[in-house]
Every structure is written in C-alpha cells, then in structure tokens.
Amino acid sequence: MSRTTKASRKTPTAKLKPAFHAVLFLPDALRELVGLSDEELRAALRNTVLRFLRVPVRPR
C-alpha cells in the first residue's frame, strides 16, 4: 500500500478544478438518472463527457 503524501492532498489547481467538481457532483446527478435503462444512462454519460470536451478554449 502506498502512503499519501502531503502534495497529493493539496487543493486542486485551477486546471484540475472542473474535473474535480464534475466527479464530486456526479453521484447527485446519477440519482436523477435512476429511471434510465443501461443504454440510456450510457448515452447520457457519454454526451455529458463529450460536452465537457467541446467547450471552446479562449485565447489568453
């Protein structure tokens, strides 16, 4: 078993925060999808992830 280092317990960086929040609130979102079939749930999750990936990046 590996030990957790202090560095790995730090607050997520600005680049990691969107993924952190997406994973953190996923259980709440899944409760609302409990009535979907496996195929419908798979499609909903796939579309959500693809939507995250399609967000345009603005130049700095």
Side-chain angles (χ1 to χ4, degrees):
M1 223 184 238
S2 65
R3 293 187 152 195
T4 306
T5 64
K6 286 184 180 182
S8 67
R9 286 185 254 144
K10 289 184 179 180
T11 304
T13 64
K15 290 181 179 180
L16 293 176
K17 282 184 182 182
F20 177 78
H21 288 291
V23 171
L24 184 66
F25 294 109
L26 189 58
D28 293 331
L30 288 176
R31 283 188 207 120
E32 296 177 18
L33 303 174
V34 73
L36 298 178
S37 69
D38 288 349
E39 189 61 36
E40 290 169 325
L41 178 59
R42 188 177 295 111
L45 293 173
R46 181 180 178 275
N47 290 337
T48 300
V49 170
L50 290 174
R51 189 171 293 137
F52 283 142
L53 296 174
R54 278 187 244 152
V55 174
V57 178
R58 295 182 185 160
R60 294 181 187 198

